[in-house]
Amino acid sequence: MNISTLEEQIHLAEEILSKNNQTLDKNDRFKIASFNSFKEHLNNLRKQLHDLQLRREKEILEVRFIGEKACNGSLPLMLHATLSKGLAESLITLSTKVRTPKKHADFVNQSDLDLRLANIVSGSTKFIISLEIQPDLFGWSLSQNTLSYWFSFFQSLDNPETNQEIFSIMGNKGIASIKSMLSALKSNNLDFEINWDSHHNQKHYWMGNTKKIDKALNFLNELVIQEPLECEISGIIQNLDRSGKITLVNENKKIYRIRLEKTVLSEIEKLRINQFVTLKVIKNISTHPTFDKVIESYDFINII
Protein backbone atom coordinates (compact mmCIF):
# COMPACT_ATOMS: atom_id res chain seq x y z
CA MET A 1 0.00 0.00 0.00
CA ASN A 2 1.40 3.44 -0.93
CA ILE A 3 1.47 6.63 1.16
CA SER A 4 -1.33 8.35 -0.74
CA THR A 5 -3.74 5.40 -0.32
CA LEU A 6 -2.93 5.11 3.39
CA GLU A 7 -3.53 8.81 3.96
CA GLU A 8 -6.93 8.53 2.24
CA GLN A 9 -7.87 5.57 4.47
CA ILE A 10 -6.72 7.44 7.59
CA HIS A 11 -8.73 10.52 6.62
CA LEU A 12 -11.86 8.39 6.08
CA ALA A 13 -11.32 6.53 9.37
CA GLU A 14 -10.89 9.84 11.25
CA GLU A 15 -14.17 11.13 9.82
CA ILE A 16 -16.02 7.94 10.78
CA LEU A 17 -14.51 7.95 14.28
CA SER A 18 -15.48 11.59 14.79
CA LYS A 19 -19.11 10.98 13.75
CA ASN A 20 -19.36 7.86 15.92
CA ASN A 21 -17.91 9.71 18.88
CA GLN A 22 -20.63 12.37 18.68
CA THR A 23 -23.42 9.78 19.08
CA LEU A 24 -21.61 7.31 21.35
CA ASP A 25 -23.68 5.95 24.23
CA LYS A 26 -21.14 5.52 27.02
CA ASN A 27 -23.49 3.18 28.85
CA ASP A 28 -23.57 0.72 25.95
CA ARG A 29 -20.59 -1.57 26.49
CA PHE A 30 -20.93 -3.19 23.06
CA LYS A 31 -20.78 0.17 21.27
CA ILE A 32 -17.84 1.30 23.41
CA ALA A 33 -15.95 -1.91 22.59
CA SER A 34 -16.71 -1.45 18.88
CA PHE A 35 -15.62 2.20 19.06
CA ASN A 36 -12.34 1.30 20.79
CA SER A 37 -11.70 -1.46 18.24
CA PHE A 38 -12.12 1.01 15.37
CA LYS A 39 -9.87 3.47 17.17
CA GLU A 40 -7.20 0.77 17.37
CA HIS A 41 -7.66 0.18 13.63
CA LEU A 42 -6.97 3.88 13.04
CA ASN A 43 -3.86 3.72 15.19
CA ASN A 44 -2.63 0.74 13.16
CA LEU A 45 -3.14 2.69 9.92
CA ARG A 46 -1.16 5.61 11.36
CA LYS A 47 1.65 3.26 12.37
CA GLN A 48 1.74 1.81 8.83
CA LEU A 49 2.01 5.36 7.43
CA HIS A 50 4.78 6.21 9.88
CA ASP A 51 6.70 3.08 8.86
CA LEU A 52 6.27 3.83 5.14
CA GLN A 53 7.56 7.37 5.67
CA LEU A 54 10.60 6.05 7.50
CA ARG A 55 11.40 3.77 4.56
CA ARG A 56 11.17 6.71 2.13
CA GLU A 57 13.82 8.49 4.30
CA LYS A 58 14.33 11.69 2.28
CA GLU A 59 12.58 14.13 0.01
CA ILE A 60 14.63 15.26 -2.99
CA LEU A 61 14.29 18.78 -4.40
CA GLU A 62 15.96 19.50 -7.75
CA VAL A 63 16.89 23.12 -8.50
CA ARG A 64 18.32 24.01 -11.90
CA PHE A 65 19.76 27.35 -13.03
CA ILE A 66 19.85 28.02 -16.77
CA GLY A 67 21.83 30.74 -18.54
CA GLU A 68 25.25 31.92 -19.63
CA LYS A 69 26.52 32.28 -16.05
CA ALA A 70 25.32 28.79 -15.16
CA CYS A 71 27.29 26.35 -17.23
CA ASN A 72 29.23 23.11 -16.72
CA GLY A 73 27.96 22.72 -13.16
CA SER A 74 29.36 26.00 -11.82
CA LEU A 75 28.20 29.46 -10.74
CA PRO A 76 30.09 32.59 -9.65
CA LEU A 77 30.66 32.11 -5.92
CA MET A 78 28.83 35.26 -4.74
CA LEU A 79 25.86 34.46 -6.99
CA HIS A 80 25.86 30.90 -5.65
CA ALA A 81 25.73 32.28 -2.09
CA THR A 82 22.83 34.66 -2.87
CA LEU A 83 20.73 32.00 -4.59
CA SER A 84 21.43 29.37 -1.92
CA LYS A 85 20.53 31.84 0.85
CA GLY A 86 17.21 32.71 -0.80
CA LEU A 87 16.32 29.05 -1.27
CA ALA A 88 17.26 27.99 2.24
CA GLU A 89 15.74 30.93 4.10
CA SER A 90 12.42 30.73 2.24
CA LEU A 91 12.07 27.02 3.00
CA ILE A 92 13.21 27.21 6.61
CA THR A 93 11.15 30.32 7.43
CA LEU A 94 8.06 28.71 5.86
CA SER A 95 8.66 25.55 7.89
CA THR A 96 8.40 27.50 11.16
CA LYS A 97 4.87 28.60 10.21
CA VAL A 98 3.91 25.14 8.98
CA ARG A 99 5.01 23.53 12.25
CA THR A 100 3.47 26.07 14.64
CA PRO A 101 1.69 29.30 13.61
CA LYS A 102 3.55 32.31 14.97
CA LYS A 103 3.21 36.05 14.90
CA HIS A 104 6.86 36.30 13.88
CA ALA A 105 8.13 33.40 11.76
CA ASP A 106 11.83 34.16 11.83
CA PHE A 107 14.78 32.32 10.37
CA VAL A 108 15.50 29.44 12.74
CA ASN A 109 18.23 26.89 13.29
CA GLN A 110 18.66 24.59 10.31
CA SER A 111 18.05 21.53 12.46
CA ASP A 112 14.29 22.31 12.41
CA LEU A 113 14.34 21.43 8.72
CA ASP A 114 17.25 19.18 7.81
CA LEU A 115 18.03 20.86 4.49
CA ARG A 116 21.23 19.78 2.71
CA LEU A 117 22.95 20.33 -0.61
CA ALA A 118 23.36 16.64 -1.49
CA ASN A 119 24.89 17.02 -4.95
CA ILE A 120 25.59 19.28 -7.93
CA VAL A 121 24.92 17.30 -11.10
CA SER A 122 27.92 17.09 -13.39
CA GLY A 123 27.56 18.89 -16.72
CA SER A 124 24.72 21.19 -15.64
CA THR A 125 24.02 23.65 -12.85
CA LYS A 126 21.48 21.50 -11.08
CA PHE A 127 21.45 21.38 -7.28
CA ILE A 128 20.13 18.24 -5.59
CA ILE A 129 18.77 19.25 -2.18
CA SER A 130 17.72 16.60 0.34
CA LEU A 131 15.30 16.99 3.23
CA GLU A 132 14.96 14.41 6.00
CA ILE A 133 11.33 13.27 6.28
CA GLN A 134 11.35 12.66 10.07
CA PRO A 135 7.65 11.70 10.40
CA ASP A 136 5.83 12.05 13.71
CA LEU A 137 3.71 9.26 15.20
CA PHE A 138 0.85 10.16 12.83
CA GLY A 139 3.13 9.99 9.77
CA TRP A 140 3.08 13.80 9.43
CA SER A 141 6.29 15.24 7.98
CA LEU A 142 7.50 18.84 8.31
CA SER A 143 9.63 18.63 5.17
CA GLN A 144 6.80 17.25 3.01
CA ASN A 145 4.29 19.85 4.16
CA THR A 146 6.83 22.66 3.77
CA LEU A 147 7.61 21.59 0.20
CA SER A 148 3.88 21.37 -0.62
CA TYR A 149 3.29 24.96 0.52
CA TRP A 150 6.53 26.14 -1.13
CA PHE A 151 5.49 24.81 -4.55
CA SER A 152 1.96 26.17 -4.06
CA PHE A 153 3.52 29.60 -3.57
CA PHE A 154 5.50 29.47 -6.82
CA GLN A 155 2.57 28.08 -8.80
CA SER A 156 0.35 30.85 -7.43
CA LEU A 157 2.74 33.45 -8.81
CA ASP A 158 1.46 32.50 -12.28
CA ASN A 159 -2.21 32.92 -11.25
CA PRO A 160 -2.40 34.71 -7.87
CA GLU A 161 -6.20 34.72 -7.77
CA THR A 162 -6.31 30.91 -7.53
CA ASN A 163 -4.73 30.73 -4.06
CA GLN A 164 -4.51 34.16 -2.46
CA GLU A 165 -4.04 32.83 1.09
CA ILE A 166 -0.69 31.22 0.28
CA PHE A 167 1.09 34.59 0.33
CA SER A 168 0.31 35.30 3.98
CA ILE A 169 1.34 31.73 4.82
CA MET A 170 4.76 32.40 3.26
CA GLY A 171 4.91 35.69 5.19
CA ASN A 172 6.98 38.82 4.72
CA LYS A 173 10.31 37.25 5.63
CA GLY A 174 9.82 34.24 3.38
CA ILE A 175 8.72 36.49 0.52
CA ALA A 176 11.74 38.77 1.06
CA SER A 177 13.98 35.70 0.63
CA ILE A 178 12.16 34.71 -2.57
CA LYS A 179 12.40 38.25 -3.94
CA SER A 180 16.13 38.36 -3.22
CA MET A 181 16.62 35.13 -5.15
CA LEU A 182 14.40 36.19 -8.07
CA SER A 183 16.13 39.59 -8.28
CA ALA A 184 19.53 37.85 -8.47
CA LEU A 185 18.21 35.59 -11.25
CA LYS A 186 16.85 38.57 -13.17
CA SER A 187 20.01 40.68 -12.90
CA ASN A 188 22.15 37.73 -14.02
CA ASN A 189 19.84 36.67 -16.88
CA LEU A 190 19.20 33.24 -15.41
CA ASP A 191 16.14 31.03 -15.70
CA PHE A 192 15.09 28.86 -12.77
CA GLU A 193 13.60 25.37 -12.66
CA ILE A 194 12.42 23.45 -9.58
CA ASN A 195 11.16 19.89 -9.39
CA TRP A 196 9.93 17.53 -6.63
CA ASP A 197 8.42 14.06 -6.98
CA SER A 198 6.26 13.97 -3.86
CA HIS A 199 5.26 11.18 -1.50
CA HIS A 200 1.82 11.24 -3.19
CA ASN A 201 3.45 10.19 -6.48
CA GLN A 202 2.73 13.68 -7.78
CA LYS A 203 5.25 15.66 -9.79
CA HIS A 204 5.60 19.28 -8.63
CA TYR A 205 7.28 21.55 -11.16
CA TRP A 206 7.77 25.27 -11.76
CA MET A 207 9.80 27.01 -14.43
CA GLY A 208 10.72 30.66 -14.14
CA ASN A 209 11.95 32.26 -17.36
CA THR A 210 12.82 35.94 -17.72
CA LYS A 211 9.21 36.98 -18.39
CA LYS A 212 7.74 34.96 -15.50
CA ILE A 213 10.41 36.12 -13.05
CA ASP A 214 9.79 39.74 -14.00
CA LYS A 215 6.03 39.27 -13.61
CA ALA A 216 6.50 37.59 -10.22
CA LEU A 217 8.72 40.41 -8.92
CA ASN A 218 6.25 43.08 -10.07
CA PHE A 219 3.44 41.24 -8.28
CA LEU A 220 5.40 40.69 -5.05
CA ASN A 221 6.58 44.32 -4.95
CA GLU A 222 2.94 45.48 -4.78
CA LEU A 223 1.83 42.82 -2.29
CA VAL A 224 1.18 44.08 1.25
CA ILE A 225 1.04 41.62 4.16
CA GLN A 226 0.11 43.18 7.47
CA GLU A 227 1.67 42.20 10.79
CA PRO A 228 -0.09 39.01 12.00
CA LEU A 229 -2.44 39.48 14.98
CA GLU A 230 -3.32 37.07 17.75
CA CYS A 231 -7.06 37.23 18.38
CA GLU A 232 -10.07 35.23 19.55
CA ILE A 233 -13.02 34.26 17.37
CA SER A 234 -16.26 32.60 18.45
CA GLY A 235 -18.95 30.79 16.56
CA ILE A 236 -20.71 27.56 15.68
CA ILE A 237 -18.60 24.84 14.07
CA GLN A 238 -20.03 24.28 10.61
CA ASN A 239 -17.37 21.89 9.31
CA LEU A 240 -14.39 19.95 10.65
CA ASP A 241 -12.01 18.92 7.91
CA ARG A 242 -9.21 16.93 9.51
CA SER A 243 -7.17 17.34 6.35
CA GLY A 244 -6.68 21.01 7.10
CA LYS A 245 -9.58 23.38 7.93
CA ILE A 246 -12.17 24.25 10.60
CA THR A 247 -15.15 26.33 9.46
CA LEU A 248 -16.89 28.59 12.02
CA VAL A 249 -19.94 30.81 11.58
CA ASN A 250 -20.44 33.66 14.07
CA GLU A 251 -23.66 35.36 15.18
CA ASN A 252 -23.39 37.84 12.28
CA LYS A 253 -23.17 34.95 9.78
CA LYS A 254 -19.53 35.70 9.02
CA ILE A 255 -17.69 32.56 7.95
CA TYR A 256 -14.18 31.83 9.24
CA ARG A 257 -11.99 29.14 7.73
CA ILE A 258 -9.15 28.35 10.12
CA ARG A 259 -6.08 26.49 8.89
CA LEU A 260 -4.68 23.74 11.06
CA GLU A 261 -2.06 21.03 10.87
CA LYS A 262 -2.03 17.36 11.82
CA THR A 263 0.16 18.25 14.79
CA VAL A 264 -2.94 19.66 16.54
CA LEU A 265 -5.17 16.66 15.82
CA SER A 266 -5.58 15.87 19.53
CA GLU A 267 -7.02 19.37 20.06
CA ILE A 268 -9.41 19.06 17.12
CA GLU A 269 -10.77 15.74 18.38
CA LYS A 270 -12.31 17.66 21.30
CA LEU A 271 -14.62 19.55 18.92
CA ARG A 272 -18.03 18.66 17.47
CA ILE A 273 -20.16 19.87 14.56
CA ASN A 274 -22.69 22.55 15.71
CA GLN A 275 -20.68 23.14 18.89
CA PHE A 276 -20.18 26.76 19.99
CA VAL A 277 -16.49 27.44 20.57
CA THR A 278 -13.99 30.21 21.10
CA LEU A 279 -10.63 29.74 19.42
CA LYS A 280 -7.35 31.58 19.73
CA VAL A 281 -6.03 32.16 16.22
CA ILE A 282 -3.51 34.19 14.27
CA LYS A 283 -5.19 36.53 11.79
CA ASN A 284 -3.32 37.25 8.57
CA ILE A 285 -4.33 40.09 6.23
CA SER A 286 -2.95 40.66 2.75
CA THR A 287 -3.86 43.15 0.02
CA HIS A 288 -2.85 43.69 -3.58
CA PRO A 289 -4.15 46.04 -6.31
CA THR A 290 -5.26 43.01 -8.37
CA PHE A 291 -7.24 41.42 -5.50
CA ASP A 292 -10.96 42.19 -5.52
CA LYS A 293 -11.04 42.19 -1.69
CA VAL A 294 -8.88 42.17 1.42
CA ILE A 295 -7.68 38.61 1.98
CA GLU A 296 -8.06 37.33 5.54
CA SER A 297 -6.75 33.97 6.68
CA TYR A 298 -6.59 32.34 10.10
CA ASP A 299 -4.20 29.87 11.73
CA PHE A 300 -5.36 27.76 14.68
CA ILE A 301 -3.45 28.15 17.97
CA ASN A 302 -5.67 26.54 20.60
CA ILE A 303 -9.18 26.15 22.00
CA ILE A 304 -10.14 28.69 24.68
Side-chain angles (χ1 to χ4, degrees):
M1 191 179 299
N2 61 34
I3 290 174
S4 183
T5 301
L6 258 179
E7 287 187 335
E8 288 175 6
Q9 290 191 8
I10 289 170
H11 177 65
L12 178 61
E14 287 172 348
E15 293 296 317
I16 293 172
L17 197 68
S18 175
K19 289 177 182 177
N20 290 346
N21 192 32
Q22 292 180 44
T23 58
L24 182 64
D25 182 356
K26 295 184 179 180
N27 294 317
D28 188 326
R29 291 193 300 172
F30 175 77
K31 287 187 176 180
I32 290 176
S34 177
F35 179 83
N36 289 337
S37 176
F38 193 81
K39 195 171 184 179
E40 185 61 29
H41 167 67
L42 175 57
N43 289 335
N44 287 334
L45 289 175
R46 287 170 175 167
K47 186 179 185 305
Q48 289 180 50
L49 177 60
H50 179 262
D51 292 343
L52 270 181
Q53 294 280 37
L54 287 177
R55 286 201 290 272
R56 185 174 168 90
E57 293 185 356
K58 297 179 187 295
E59 294 299 335
I60 301 298
L61 171 65
E62 296 181 359
V63 182
R64 185 180 177 211
F65 302 104
I66 307 163
E68 188 176 337
K69 290 188 178 181
C71 59
N72 300 322
S74 68
L75 281 169
L77 188 58
M78 290 301 293
L79 177 57
H80 181 291
T82 300
L83 296 174
S84 296
K85 185 173 185 288
L87 278 169
E89 285 197 355
S90 64
L91 283 163
I92 294 171
T93 302
L94 178 59
S95 75
T96 67
K97 296 190 73 174
V98 171
R99 182 190 290 279
T100 306
K102 298 177 181 179
K103 288 176 66 178
H104 303 284
D106 294 324
F107 182 81
V108 293
N109 188 287
Q110 190 174 351
S111 63
D112 285 60
L113 189 72
D114 194 352
L115 187 66
R116 296 171 183 268
L117 179 59
N119 191 19
I120 299 179
V121 177
S122 177
S124 67
T125 310
K126 181 189 287 186
F127 294 176
I128 306 298
I129 298 170
S130 69
L131 299 88
E132 292 288 339
I133 292 179
Q134 299 174 326
D136 65 11
L137 293 176
F138 296 103
W140 186 91
S141 165
L142 177 64
S143 61
Q144 290 170 347
N145 281 269
T146 298
L147 283 171
S148 293
Y149 281 116
W150 197 69
F151 272 88
S152 290
F153 175 86
F154 279 101
Q155 288 155 359
S156 294
L157 290 175
D158 296 336
N159 297 290
E161 65 281 357
T162 60
N163 188 6
Q164 295 169 336
E165 290 185 7
I166 192 65
F167 303 110
S168 60
I169 294 173
M170 178 65 78
N172 282 318
K173 188 168 181 60
I175 287 174
S177 299
I178 297 289
K179 285 170 62 177
S180 172
M181 181 177 63
L182 294 178
S183 295
L185 292 169
K186 178 181 177 181
S187 61
N188 287 277
N189 297 312
L190 291 176
D191 292 347
F192 175 60
E193 186 179 71
I194 51 178
N195 182 63
W196 170 47
D197 292 330
S198 81
H199 53 299
H200 289 146
N201 298 319
Q202 180 180 357
K203 188 178 182 67
H204 295 263
Y205 176 83
W206 190 79
M207 171 71 178
N209 56 27
T210 301
K211 183 177 180 180
K212 287 176 70 173
I213 289 171
D214 196 47
K215 177 185 174 184
L217 281 169
N218 289 337
F219 172 81
L220 293 174
N221 285 334
E222 292 188 306
L223 179 68
V224 176
I225 300 177
Q226 296 183 20
E227 189 73 15
L229 299 172
E230 278 192 17
C231 61
E232 296 178 5
I233 56 175
S234 299
I236 302 294
I237 298 175
Q238 187 179 71
N239 187 46
L240 277 173
D241 181 354
R242 281 163 173 74
S243 65
K245 287 282 178 74
I246 303 173
T247 304
L248 286 189
V249 180
N250 72 4
E251 59 184 7
N252 297 318
K253 306 301 182 184
K254 181 174 180 177
I255 298 174
Y256 298 93
R257 293 181 177 86
I258 301 105
R259 186 177 69 92
L260 56 96
E261 288 295 343
K262 285 284 186 180
T263 49
V264 297
L265 185 62
S266 59
E267 286 284 301
I268 303 309
E269 287 178 339
K270 302 174 186 176
L271 303 177
R272 305 285 181 273
I273 301 295
N274 295 324
Q275 177 184 351
F276 181 86
V277 294
T278 300
L279 305 178
K280 180 180 283 188
V281 299
I282 291 178
K283 180 179 181 180
N284 305 287
I285 299 175
S286 57
T287 58
H288 192 274
T290 62
F291 293 170
D292 58 1
K293 60 181 179 180
V294 174
I295 305 302
E296 296 182 3
S297 63
Y298 301 86
D299 291 317
F300 175 89
I301 298 177
N302 59 260
I303 304 167
I304 304 294

